Amino acid sequence: MPIEDVAINQPNMGHPRGSLEHKLLLWTLALVIAPTLLCSWWLNHVTRQVMTEHYTRNVTIMSNALAMGFIGSQSNLEATAQQRIRSLVTDHRLAFVEITNPEGHALYRRVVDGQAWVQYREWCDAHATQSRTEVSAPIVLGDGDDVLVHRVPIWDPPLAENRAQTEGAVFRRQLKGYVLLAMREPMLPQMLSELRNMQFTYALVVCLLSLPLITWGVRSVTAPIRSLMTASLRLASGEEPEPVKARSHDEVGMLTEAFNFMAGRLINARHLLEKANEELEQKVAARTAELQRLNEQLEQTARQFETMAATDPLTGVANRRA
């Protein structure tokens, strides 16, 4: 079968669309920025939760201590409440406090922050069932989660004391009422906001500082590949490129060594082929010269035979054939 020439276009070695360097840069940035921002968000969430739990624990301790203050009191709760709560009024964090009887009717109420009281009443309307029962954990109110409300019962005697005395026996205790305490921490939202801004600022600084390092790392990875591409094109164009220097011992370094080995084999094969072509051309030229010499001798012999056929061999005169 005849061999047909196939047109081979030289590849474009400019800036390719969707280059490996750009892909590696985008993926590395995504793998660095996304976890950094995620860790910053998680740290902010944990910090917010810890500070809220600490604040909640303080409110729980205060409400329980206030409820314990009514135990053993022989007077009515209203008179005792005015005496016990008088010390809380000086606390700027107090939003409101309410003492109720076991049926939930208010015996004493002191509202310092009207907005917090309105928020609590709205919560009670939305959670009517829960508002009539004992609240085991403080309720977080407000858009900034800065108001905590805790409602605890007033038992006389306390449950722990009865358990120590009766050791599992059925005991009687009297529910004297409930203490409803709400504390506002105005600095809590501001502190959380400052912490969030600081954490995200640090995350942004880390991302910006890592950008030059990521760019340098990606380019150091793609530079040997681009050198291999340039050397491959020179080899395909018939040139003899210098061996590409292997800068590492990873897969790219092994690829570079394999390319150098392949290029050396191809260059040696090309030299052998060129030498064989030269020898073949020399042999063809020698055979051609030999054929020309033989043709000349053949022509000379033919002319001699023609002369001998047309001339008398004794006299040298042309015979009848001539």
Side-chain angles (χ1 to χ4, degrees):
M1 295 178 61
I3 300 177
E4 298 180 358
D5 293 335
V6 180
I8 301 177
N9 297 325
Q10 184 176 0
N12 183 17
M13 291 302 296
H15 295 282
R17 295 178 296 178
S19 64
L20 179 62
E21 180 177 340
H22 294 164
K23 291 179 181 179
L24 286 176
L25 184 61
L26 292 177
W27 274 106
T28 309
L29 287 176
L31 292 176
V32 170
I33 293 177
T36 302
L37 295 179
L38 184 61
C39 290
S40 178
W41 173 85
W42 177 80
L43 183 61
N44 178 72
H45 176 73
V46 171
T47 304
R48 183 186 187 94
Q49 185 176 3
V50 170
M51 294 184 66
T52 304
E53 289 179 356
H54 176 72
Y55 181 38
T56 302
R57 185 166 55 253
N58 292 338
V59 175
T60 303
I61 294 173
M62 293 179 64
S63 59
N64 289 328
L66 185 60
M68 292 290 293
F70 292 97
I71 297 174
S73 176
Q74 301 298 329
S75 58
N76 56 16
L77 289 179
E78 183 178 359
T80 307
Q82 294 179 2
Q83 298 176 0
R84 300 291 181 184
I85 300 175
R86 189 174 302 171
S87 60
L88 290 176
V89 177
T90 58
D91 195 339
H92 67 281
R93 298 175 301 172
L94 179 65
F96 60 85
V97 60
E98 183 182 48
I99 309 299
T100 62
N101 58 13
E103 290 76 20
H105 301 291
L107 300 177
Y108 177 82
R109 180 186 301 155
R110 179 64 183 268
V111 178
V112 179
D113 191 340
Q115 182 181 1
W117 176 254
V118 171
Q119 291 175 350
Y120 174 70
R121 297 310 306 172
E122 292 177 352
W123 182 90
C124 290
D125 294 338
H127 307 79
T129 303
Q130 298 182 17
S131 63
R132 297 191 184 96
T133 60
E134 177 183 348
V135 179
S136 59
I139 308 167
V140 181
L141 301 177
D143 297 334
D145 298 341
D146 56 341
V147 178
L148 277 84
V149 183
H150 198 197
R151 184 169 179 262
V152 295
I154 304 174
W155 292 106
D156 193 11
L159 180 60
E161 182 180 350
N162 278 282
R163 283 183 175 176
Q165 294 176 358
T166 58
E167 295 185 359
V170 178
F171 55 86
R172 294 181 179 180
R173 57 178 180 163
Q174 181 183 3
L175 178 62
K176 301 182 66 175
Y178 292 94
V179 172
L180 181 64
L181 178 66
M183 304 294 290
R184 177 185 290 275
E185 185 60 51
M187 297 300 296
L188 182 61
Q190 182 179 357
M191 293 173 58
L192 293 176
S193 178
E194 291 177 356
L195 285 174
R196 181 180 65 250
N197 295 335
M198 182 176 62
Q199 290 165 357
F200 279 103
T201 300
Y202 287 159
L204 182 61
V205 170
V206 170
C207 294
L208 292 178
L209 292 179
S210 61
L211 181 60
L213 296 177
I214 293 174
T215 305
W216 174 81
V218 170
R219 288 182 177 177
S220 64
V221 172
T222 57
I225 300 177
R226 186 170 289 275
S227 300
L228 288 175
M229 294 168 58
T230 304
S232 299
L233 281 180
R234 293 185 60 188
L235 182 64
S237 301
E239 301 179 9
E240 296 184 4
E242 295 292 334
V244 182
K245 184 178 180 180
R247 302 179 181 179
S248 60
H249 299 284
D250 53 4
E251 287 80 359
V252 178
M254 296 175 62
L255 178 62
T256 303
E257 294 178 358
F259 172 79
N260 292 332
F261 177 75
M262 178 192 67
R265 294 291 298 272
L266 289 177
I267 291 174
N268 291 335
R270 184 181 297 171
H271 289 168
L272 292 176
L273 182 60
E274 290 177 354
K275 185 177 180 180
N277 288 334
E278 291 178 359
E279 293 178 354
L280 181 61
E281 290 177 357
Q282 293 176 0
K283 290 181 179 181
V284 170
R287 294 293 178 86
T288 303
E290 181 68 18
L291 289 176
Q292 290 179 355
R293 185 179 63 81
L294 294 176
N295 289 333
E296 291 177 356
Q297 291 180 356
L298 183 62
E299 290 177 357
Q300 183 178 0
T301 303
R303 286 195 296 271
Q304 290 178 357
F305 280 126
E306 289 178 357
T307 302
M308 291 174 61
T311 304
D312 185 78
L314 295 177
T315 60
V317 181
N319 56 15
R320 295 174 65 186
R321 189 186 299 263

Short mmCIF file of all heavy atoms in Angstrom, two decimals, residues 70 73-81:
data_model
loop_
_atom_site.label_atom_id
_atom_site.label_comp_id
_atom_site.label_asym_id
_atom_site.label_seq_id
_atom_site.Cartn_x
_atom_site.Cartn_y
_atom_site.Cartn_z
N PHE A 70 -35.90 32.43 99.90
CA PHE A 70 -37.27 32.41 100.41
C PHE A 70 -37.56 31.17 101.25
O PHE A 70 -38.63 31.07 101.84
CB PHE A 70 -38.27 32.45 99.24
CG PHE A 70 -38.25 33.76 98.49
CD1 PHE A 70 -37.53 33.90 97.33
CD2 PHE A 70 -38.96 34.84 98.98
CE1 PHE A 70 -37.52 35.09 96.64
CE2 PHE A 70 -38.96 36.05 98.29
CZ PHE A 70 -38.23 36.18 97.12
N SER A 73 -38.77 31.14 105.18
CA SER A 73 -39.37 32.42 105.53
C SER A 73 -40.80 32.20 106.03
O SER A 73 -41.62 31.55 105.39
CB SER A 73 -39.37 33.35 104.31
OG SER A 73 -40.02 34.56 104.61
N GLN A 74 -41.11 32.77 107.21
CA GLN A 74 -42.42 32.58 107.80
C GLN A 74 -43.41 33.64 107.32
O GLN A 74 -44.62 33.44 107.39
CB GLN A 74 -42.31 32.64 109.34
CG GLN A 74 -41.38 31.58 109.91
CD GLN A 74 -41.86 30.18 109.62
OE1 GLN A 74 -43.07 29.92 109.52
NE2 GLN A 74 -40.91 29.25 109.48
N SER A 75 -42.89 34.79 106.84
CA SER A 75 -43.79 35.84 106.35
C SER A 75 -44.22 35.53 104.93
O SER A 75 -43.78 34.56 104.32
CB SER A 75 -43.07 37.20 106.41
OG SER A 75 -41.88 37.15 105.64
N ASN A 76 -45.11 36.36 104.39
CA ASN A 76 -45.58 36.12 103.04
C ASN A 76 -44.49 36.44 102.02
O ASN A 76 -43.52 37.16 102.31
CB ASN A 76 -46.84 36.94 102.76
CG ASN A 76 -46.59 38.45 102.99
OD1 ASN A 76 -45.47 38.89 103.07
ND2 ASN A 76 -47.67 39.20 103.11
N LEU A 77 -44.66 35.91 100.81
CA LEU A 77 -43.63 36.06 99.79
C LEU A 77 -43.50 37.50 99.33
O LEU A 77 -42.41 37.94 98.96
CB LEU A 77 -43.95 35.16 98.59
CG LEU A 77 -43.77 33.65 98.80
CD1 LEU A 77 -44.14 32.91 97.54
CD2 LEU A 77 -42.36 33.32 99.21
N GLU A 78 -44.58 38.25 99.33
CA GLU A 78 -44.52 39.62 98.84
C GLU A 78 -43.62 40.47 99.70
O GLU A 78 -42.79 41.23 99.20
CB GLU A 78 -45.94 40.21 98.80
CG GLU A 78 -45.98 41.63 98.24
CD GLU A 78 -47.39 42.15 98.16
OE1 GLU A 78 -48.33 41.42 98.52
OE2 GLU A 78 -47.55 43.30 97.72
N ALA A 79 -43.75 40.34 101.02
CA ALA A 79 -42.90 41.13 101.91
C ALA A 79 -41.46 40.66 101.85
O ALA A 79 -40.52 41.47 101.86
CB ALA A 79 -43.43 41.04 103.35
N THR A 80 -41.29 39.35 101.78
CA THR A 80 -39.92 38.83 101.70
C THR A 80 -39.26 39.20 100.38
O THR A 80 -38.06 39.48 100.33
CB THR A 80 -39.93 37.31 101.86
OG1 THR A 80 -40.63 36.97 103.07
CG2 THR A 80 -38.52 36.76 101.92
N ALA A 81 -40.04 39.22 99.30
CA ALA A 81 -39.50 39.56 97.99
C ALA A 81 -38.97 40.98 97.96
O ALA A 81 -37.92 41.26 97.37
CB ALA A 81 -40.56 39.36 96.92
#
